[in-house]
Amino acid sequence: MKASKAAQYGLLTALALVLSWLESLLPPLGAPGVKLGLPNLAIVFALYRLGWRDACVISLVRVLLVALLFGNGAALAYSVAGAALSLSLMGLLKRTGTFSSIGVSVAGGVAHNAGQILVAMALLETSRLAWYLPVLWISGTVAGVLIGIVSGELVKRVSDQS
Amino acid sequence: MNWLKTHKSDVLLIAALLVLGGGLTLFLLATRQAGGTVRVQIDGETVMELPLDQDVRTVLGEGEHTNTLVIENGAAQVVAADCPDQVCVNHGAIQYAGESIVCLPHRLVVTVDGGASNDVDAAVK
Ligand SMILES: [Zn+2]
């Protein structure tokens, strides 16, 4: 691994953590696990700058650290599920080459929220959480658009400089 | 309108997701029915069932894992809890069948079931 790549790795992991922390400060949006998905900004950026595998590692490290630092055990299971589903879908969409970072990030955001709620439904043995799906769905889409635009701009600027 | 051209598939994807999300919301809204009872589950096990038409205040759980549930005017609400995230308290009141309040740290689910004759679970399983 080149030194510059290692530095980016550390930087992006730190950024993902800071965004997770910022997000934990925001008031809860009314349902368990309903988050805007701010950390996805760092993950989408990593996906475009470093590649899918590195984005996966950064995402996993973030999820584990967040669970250790400010989460609880129960939250870990659905964070992992959300992150895994999100990264699989984003990797796939990016490979098709038809979507920009916006489409990729939107799919990732919705998949992240849907994955979380599905695992929460399984863990809590209730199908009633389906009520949260629409809220999560829409918030994931809106946040995904914003994150896609910002990370797309960031990727463009960084590659202009190097 | 160059942007629209280069981002055609993105826009289509976003539109499709919004339509799906809107459809899901409408479906859930259209199929909702008035609630009859409130069911309390901890760790997936039903520990209590309360009629929605009787006002009551009760403390669920024990030790440092408690949630205070209030049923008032045909709606149920968690008014206090000692969980770290307070998601259950901020959730507000629920009254329609299928609505629920979840406290993930306490593995608690408060659900509104349909009327007395309504056996939703039997239909699902
Ligand atoms: Zn709670």
Side-chain angles (χ1 to χ4, degrees):
Chain A
M1 193 191 276
K2 279 199 264 167
S4 68
K5 198 180 175 187
Q8 282 190 47
Y9 230 89
L11 213 64
L12 284 174
T13 310
L15 177 65
L17 269 178
V18 169
L19 291 172
S20 308
W21 173 71
L22 268 181
E23 197 174 58
S24 73
L25 294 182
L26 297 173
L29 296 178
V34 182
K35 298 272 168 69
L36 283 173
L38 288 181
N40 207 31
L41 181 62
I43 307 303
V44 173
F45 185 82
L47 183 65
Y48 279 87
R49 269 305 277 181
L50 305 171
W52 186 72
R53 236 164 254 218
D54 297 312
C56 286
V57 174
I58 292 173
S59 179
L60 188 68
V61 170
R62 175 193 83 83
V63 165
L64 290 177
L65 281 176
V66 165
L68 268 176
L69 291 175
F70 5 80
N72 49 34
L76 181 62
Y78 43 87
S79 296
V80 170
L85 197 64
S86 166
L87 272 163
S88 316
L89 206 63
M90 290 201 293
L92 256 157
L93 285 194
K94 184 173 173 267
R95 274 180 81 177
T96 64
T98 34
F99 297 97
S100 79
S101 62
I102 301 173
V104 168
S105 148
V106 165
V110 172
H112 186 260
N113 288 352
Q116 285 196 335
I117 208 76
L118 289 177
V119 170
M121 273 161 82
L123 276 184
L124 295 164
E125 292 164 37
T126 172
S127 56
R128 309 302 165 71
L129 288 179
W131 272 95
Y132 291 129
L133 263 172
V135 190
L136 284 158
W137 195 279
I138 303 291
S139 69
T141 310
V142 173
V145 172
L146 297 177
I147 285 166
I149 292 171
V150 173
S151 53
E153 280 302 309
L154 284 178
V155 170
K156 223 187 280 168
R157 271 170 214 199
V158 171
S159 48
D160 280 352
Q161 279 172 4
S162 52
Chain B
M1 285 292 101
N2 237 342
W3 189 90
L4 260 186
K5 252 183 213 157
T6 49
H7 290 81
K8 200 174 155 202
S9 21
D10 294 319
V11 173
L12 282 178
L13 179 69
I14 294 164
L17 283 173
L18 286 178
V19 167
L20 261 172
L24 197 63
T25 313
L26 284 181
F27 173 77
L28 286 172
L29 283 179
T31 55
R32 76 180 177 185
Q33 14 168 214
T37 53
V38 174
R39 181 217 299 255
V40 178
Q41 284 167 291
I42 296 176
D43 269 326
E45 266 173 59
T46 303
V47 294
M48 202 184 283
E49 279 191 75
L50 302 161
L52 202 51
D53 53 7
Q54 280 171 35
D55 290 2
V56 72
R57 182 187 188 94
T58 175
V59 176
L60 308 164
E62 49 200 31
E64 288 178 7
H65 290 279
T66 60
N67 303 67
T68 307
L69 177 75
V70 166
I71 297 177
E72 210 173 37
N73 303 325
Q77 187 172 9
V78 173
V79 292
D82 50 16
C83 59
D85 60 13
Q86 298 287 303
V87 167
C88 52
V89 179
N90 290 312
H91 186 282
I94 53 173
Q95 55 177 320
Y96 294 103
E99 279 189 301
S100 58
I101 300 173
V102 177
C103 182
L104 277 168
H106 294 175
R107 293 178 65 83
L108 168 92
V109 183
V110 177
T111 318
V112 176
D113 284 335
S117 62
N118 189 312
D119 206 349
V120 182
D121 267 5
V124 170
K125 278 167 192 165

